Amino acid sequence: MTSTADRVAHQQMREQGIGTNQQAVKFSQQDYETLRQQCLQNGCLFEDACFPAERKSLGYKELGPYSSKTRSVVWKRPTELCSDPKFIDDGATRMDICQGILGDCWLLAAIASLTLDEQILARVVPSGQSFTEDYAGIFHFQFWQFGEWVDVVVDDRLPTQDGKLLFVHSAEGSEFWTALLEKAYAKVHGCYEALSGGNTIEGFEDFTGGIAEVYTLDKAPPKLFQIMKKALSLGSLMGCSIDITSAYETEAVTALKLVKGHAYSVTCAEEVNIRGKLVQLVRIRNPWGQVEWTGPWSDGSSEWNNVSKDEKSKLNHVAEDGEFWMSYSDFIRHFSKLEICNLTPDTLTSDDVSRWNHYQFEGMWRVGSTAGGCRNHAATFCSNPQFVVRLEDVDDHPLDGKDGCTFLVGLMQKDGRQLKKLDRNLETIGFAIYKVPDQYKGSSNVHLGPDVLLRERPVAMSSAFINTREVCDRFKLPPGEYAIIPSTFHPHKNGNFILRVFSEKKATASPLEKDIDAQIEEKEVSESDVDPNFKRLFKQIAGTDMEVSVFELVEILNNIVSHRSDIKTDGFSLETGRLIVSLLDKDESTKLGLMEFHLLWSKIQKYLVIFKKYDTDNSGTMSSHEMRGAATEAGFSINSAVLQAIVSRYADAQYAIDFDSFVGCLIKLEMLFKIFKALESADSKKIELDMQQWLCLAIY
């Protein structure tokens, strides 16, 4: 219940704009300025209790509390390591980044790319931090984490061995922004060891909020050069690397001076006219040093003799500085992988670049309600979360010459690095895309069922279902409305996810979700309409006072259901009986009279018919995945969040719902709808309660 309240509070914060880079969430609720001022006033240096200078902050296995690697670790501040420490000295450069004993080279490659763009760096490393002016031993950084920016505070106590930094450090040893940034990133993920092993693209995304595409170059799509050129015009970050087949090949230099297992940046893609023939060129930068490609189109190669001065000037022909040109054909032959990080519109401040349109949604898979698995699982697939994207305008300059709408879909699951500490793996995830049928077009108030998702074939799918942090693919489809169904490969897997859509042209996107509503039928019935046999039976049950107490009601209901072999039940509880009385007791006698009991009997008869219909295997219980349809037939329109709450409250360990739970759920829904409508003002869809009113209603 409290976690649900936390999620609601989080949604409200997001609606207020908290979570943007300009209004980042305070990680662990720590405010940098407040803590810094407190330290300055008290004349002390900050010590972070949320990420203490202890062994548990280092790791859990290789760097765990009992590991021999951590026994001699001493935490020291930069002021104890050198006489004149600098936060950033003469600008942030690749020379500030030297790897320590931690296997996080993927992160350091991403940090190196940050140094190439001062504006993006400033989003991650806020300005005004130093070891001189108002120094208090506290620093802060900002990272994009699963849909929102978080501001992370750290103290400057860093792990050392033999007086030297254990992890990332600068070449000169006197600059500390990278070591502190690494510490802040480790804090977000629980410890330093959680950063071991990864993909540069993960760092790209967490430093920009962008969405990543990965291309295997020996299977490069026909128009990849045009994709690269377009991406660069959109301000995308781009990296490439050469795969290694063993650890011995790490940093090995090829005959043409390319470094294996090494992260390069792609900075330009252009075409040059050579004797009437267009040649595709790619400009690449080695962020670590001066080692450069020596093949065709390298610095000083003969190919440049055939290029005019004007074209050379346009291409900004480079010198010996770690940056070089090579032909696109050589690029895809010598490099193994290309990573493109497409940036969100708010990241790009220059008017010289176009911008993607960006849409982002949070979602959950929950066992028994929304964890339907992939299309192979027909019984549950339709219960997955659903989202719609409406593509209207075709691309301005289509790469293949054909009209269509280009868009990216990224599905990211949360908290993978925290799972490593628990020795748990990421789920295998992917998505399917369906064309929305004409009868549902223009409406978001729908949840697509088997008539669409099982009878129609998807028009597109993720390239794979894979157990990685994010699955991202590029698509081109005709204008229209499309439903995206994200899922785990197997059903019945809990998980939280972010779904992102980047479109070249303006589009709209939203969850496909039923509006919450209720159509409660209450027929006006007088006592003369009640069957005489029913009256006689009621008199026998109720006794002389002609009213049924909650205790009598529970006894009656259990007596009735115990004689039925076609439904399973644990019996109506006293709690359910009290709910029924609370709903139907018009005169506040805490008992049910004839007409009230007659109304209850009509409801139960109706609910029994629905229950039997959705008990498709005649087991006497109903699958929790059928609860959405059953509730709809009973008059209640519910969305995924409400469905998850229902399943948590009313399903058993096998995610089945028996008859008494089904009745109790529908009675509770009706009561909640009526309470809300009674307290709602002017169809505002909101109510306001003080503490006493809330407690009385919640307890009741």
Side-chain angles (χ1 to χ4, degrees):
M1 186 72 171
T2 53
S3 62
T4 302
D6 289 342
R7 189 169 67 251
V8 171
H10 182 255
Q11 289 170 347
Q12 292 173 341
M13 289 171 60
R14 292 293 296 273
E15 290 169 3
Q16 295 164 13
I18 297 173
T20 62
N21 187 251
Q22 294 74 31
Q23 255 187 299
V25 173
K26 309 298 181 187
F27 189 78
S28 295
Q29 298 183 326
Q30 292 175 298
D31 182 75
Y32 169 72
E33 280 299 338
T34 301
L35 293 170
R36 182 164 158 270
Q37 289 303 320
Q38 287 174 354
C39 290
L40 291 172
Q41 289 168 9
N42 296 331
C44 64
L45 295 179
F46 178 61
E47 294 187 1
D48 187 6
C50 295
F51 197 60
E54 299 173 4
R55 285 188 179 184
K56 67 180 182 181
S57 297
L58 295 176
Y60 50 87
K61 195 173 183 180
E62 292 286 322
L63 299 176
Y66 305 105
S67 169
S68 59
K69 294 182 180 180
T70 62
R71 283 179 190 157
S72 59
V73 168
V74 178
W75 297 77
K76 291 187 176 183
R77 298 185 189 269
T79 50
E80 301 172 84
L81 294 171
C82 66
S83 58
D84 186 24
K86 305 287 187 185
F87 184 65
I88 296 179
D89 186 18
D90 195 26
T93 70
R94 62 180 182 274
M95 298 306 294
D96 304 338
I97 309 162
C98 299
Q99 190 173 354
I101 70 165
L102 194 61
D104 62 348
C105 60
W106 61 274
L107 176 64
L108 307 191
I111 295 173
S113 292
L114 271 184
T115 66
L116 303 178
D117 192 311
E118 291 183 5
Q119 289 181 331
I120 294 177
L121 178 70
R123 291 164 66 87
V124 178
V125 186
S127 61
Q129 304 187 81
S130 76
F131 289 97
T132 53
E133 187 177 347
D134 289 334
Y135 167 68
I138 183 171
F139 294 86
H140 71 132
F141 302 86
Q142 292 196 0
F143 307 117
W144 184 89
Q145 286 290 285
F146 310 113
E148 65 186 14
W149 285 87
V150 294
D151 190 88
V152 186
V153 166
V154 289
D155 64 34
D156 62 352
R157 296 177 294 176
L158 297 167
T160 70
Q161 279 181 333
D162 302 323
K164 296 181 179 179
L165 288 177
L166 194 62
F167 303 128
V168 70
H169 52 278
S170 68
E172 297 172 355
S174 60
E175 200 166 7
F176 291 92
W177 72 272
T178 52
L180 291 167
L181 184 150
E182 181 189 46
K183 181 176 183 178
Y185 201 64
K187 177 179 177 178
V188 166
H189 295 292
C191 63
Y192 278 95
E193 190 174 354
L195 306 185
S196 290
N199 192 310
T200 303
I201 213 70
E202 184 178 341
F204 274 168
E205 289 187 331
D206 287 354
F207 294 153
T208 66
I211 191 171
E213 300 176 84
V214 181
Y215 292 94
T216 303
L217 294 178
D218 62 0
K219 299 175 183 175
K223 297 293 181 180
L224 181 59
F225 179 80
Q226 286 80 7
I227 290 173
M228 293 170 65
K229 194 171 180 180
K230 186 72 173 281
L232 288 163
S233 76
L234 291 165
S236 302
L237 298 181
M238 206 172 291
C240 59
S241 60
I242 303 171
D243 289 344
I244 58 173
T245 55
S246 70
Y248 297 106
E249 287 191 318
T250 304
E251 299 296 310
V253 180
T254 69
L256 294 173
K257 301 295 184 183
L258 295 176
V259 185
K260 291 186 175 183
H262 191 66
Y264 288 83
S265 301
V266 178
T267 58
C268 192
E270 287 291 348
E271 291 179 310
V272 293
N273 194 318
I274 305 296
R275 296 171 181 169
K277 181 183 177 182
L278 287 176
V279 177
Q280 296 172 336
L281 298 180
V282 178
R283 189 174 69 203
I284 298 168
R285 179 170 182 174
N286 177 356
W288 297 94
Q290 307 301 317
V291 179
E292 288 191 20
W293 161 255
T294 57
W297 295 101
S298 60
D299 295 354
S301 69
S302 59
E303 286 79 11
W304 288 105
N305 297 333
N306 298 315
V307 179
S308 69
K309 286 185 179 180
D310 287 345
E311 286 209 280
K312 277 186 183 180
S313 176
K314 184 184 79 170
L315 294 173
N316 188 23
H317 181 45
V318 296
E320 185 70 31
D321 58 357
E323 194 167 46
F324 55 87
W325 289 93
M326 65 192 307
S327 70
Y328 172 72
S329 57
D330 277 335
F331 170 70
I332 61 173
R333 184 181 304 120
H334 290 277
F335 283 91
S336 310
K337 184 168 61 178
L338 173 71
E339 300 169 327
I340 302 176
C341 184
N342 302 284
L343 303 184
T344 56
D346 70 300
T347 311
L348 303 167
T349 56
S350 171
D351 292 330
D352 296 334
V353 295
S354 304
R355 287 167 170 77
W356 289 96
N357 294 284
H358 170 229
Y359 312 90
Q360 174 179 294
F361 307 100
E362 294 188 59
M364 294 186 293
W365 297 296
R366 287 294 178 267
V367 178
S369 56
T370 57
C374 72
R375 198 174 186 269
N376 297 346
H377 306 278
T380 54
F381 177 63
C382 300
S383 57
N384 282 303
Q386 303 176 5
F387 302 85
V388 64
V389 57
R390 298 179 177 91
L391 306 172
E392 298 176 5
D393 300 327
V394 298
D395 301 344
D396 286 334
H397 305 289
L399 302 180
D400 57 4
K402 299 176 182 177
D403 283 344
C405 307
T406 296
F407 64 107
L408 308 176
V409 178
L411 174 63
M412 178 183 289
Q413 53 186 319
K414 292 186 176 183
D415 304 325
R417 293 195 175 273
Q418 282 85 340
L419 292 177
K420 286 174 66 175
K421 189 174 181 179
L422 303 173
D423 203 26
R424 288 165 52 193
N425 295 322
L426 290 165
E427 296 296 343
T428 301
I429 61 170
F431 54 86
I433 302 176
Y434 289 80
K435 187 171 177 58
V436 174
D438 290 343
Q439 65 266 35
Y440 298 125
K441 281 184 178 177
S443 174
S444 296
N445 178 24
V446 65
H447 187 87
L448 300 179
D451 59 320
V452 177
L453 302 185
L454 298 184
R455 293 179 187 171
E456 303 294 331
R457 294 184 63 82
V459 295
M461 295 191 70
S462 54
S463 54
F465 273 76
I466 188 169
N467 61 334
T468 187
R469 179 172 101 145
E470 184 174 38
V471 173
C472 178
D473 285 290
R474 176 183 290 254
F475 303 97
K476 184 176 181 180
L477 293 174
E481 293 190 20
Y482 299 92
I484 304 171
I485 316 297
S487 72
T488 55
F489 185 76
H490 296 290
H492 319 307
K493 301 288 185 181
N494 285 326
N496 297 335
F497 66 84
I498 298 289
L499 183 78
R500 296 186 290 166
V501 178
F502 279 48
S503 63
E504 274 202 16
K505 301 290 285 186
K506 188 171 178 57
T508 58
S510 63
L512 268 180
E513 195 65 271
K514 295 284 286 183
D515 291 341
I516 298 173
D517 198 8
Q519 302 296 326
I520 302 167
E521 292 183 11
E522 289 197 341
K523 295 178 181 177
E524 290 292 330
V525 180
S526 65
E527 189 171 337
S528 61
D529 296 324
V530 178
D531 183 86
N533 290 327
F534 186 89
K535 284 184 185 179
R536 187 165 54 254
L537 181 62
F538 180 76
K539 286 179 181 179
Q540 292 173 4
I541 294 169
T544 56
D545 66 350
M546 287 295 287
E547 287 196 311
V548 174
S549 71
V550 65
F551 306 100
E552 292 170 323
L553 174 63
V554 170
E555 185 179 350
I556 294 164
L557 293 176
N558 285 333
N559 185 44
I560 293 169
V561 297
S562 66
H563 290 90
R564 297 192 65 115
S565 59
D566 56 341
I567 57 174
K568 288 184 180 178
T569 174
D570 294 330
F572 285 84
S573 67
L574 198 58
E575 180 185 356
T576 301
R578 286 188 167 126
L579 273 175
I580 293 171
V581 172
S582 297
L583 175 67
L584 300 176
D585 178 22
K586 305 294 185 184
D587 57 5
E588 297 189 57
S589 66
T590 69
K591 294 182 179 182
L592 299 184
L594 171 63
M595 299 309 299
E596 294 161 341
F597 190 82
H598 184 268
L599 179 58
L600 169 63
W601 189 249
S602 299
K603 287 182 183 295
I604 290 177
Q605 292 294 103
K606 174 186 174 183
Y607 295 163
L608 180 61
V609 171
I610 297 171
F611 184 82
K612 294 280 290 176
K613 176 181 176 180
Y614 284 88
D615 175 16
T616 52
D617 60 357
N618 297 315
S619 64
T621 62
M622 189 176 70
S623 165
S624 60
H625 283 277
E626 302 287 1
M627 192 64 202
R628 188 193 298 264
T632 299
E633 193 152 331
F636 302 100
S637 177
I638 58 174
N639 64 12
S640 296
V642 176
L643 179 62
Q644 288 166 14
I646 286 172
V647 172
S648 297
R649 174 67 179 80
Y650 292 100
D652 66 14
Q654 286 71 47
Y655 295 94
I657 295 175
D658 61 14
F659 184 63
D660 60 282
S661 296
F662 181 65
V663 172
C665 173
L666 297 183
I667 293 290
K668 184 72 173 281
L669 276 175
E670 183 174 342
M671 187 170 72
L672 290 173
F673 270 105
K674 286 184 173 179
I675 289 173
F676 190 92
K677 285 299 180 184
L679 298 172
E680 180 189 24
S681 58
D683 292 325
S684 64
K685 299 191 183 301
K686 291 183 180 180
I687 60 175
E688 186 174 320
L689 302 172
D690 62 27
M691 181 66 77
Q692 175 185 295
Q693 292 166 333
W694 157 246
L695 289 174
C696 289
L697 284 171
I699 290 170
Y700 193 62

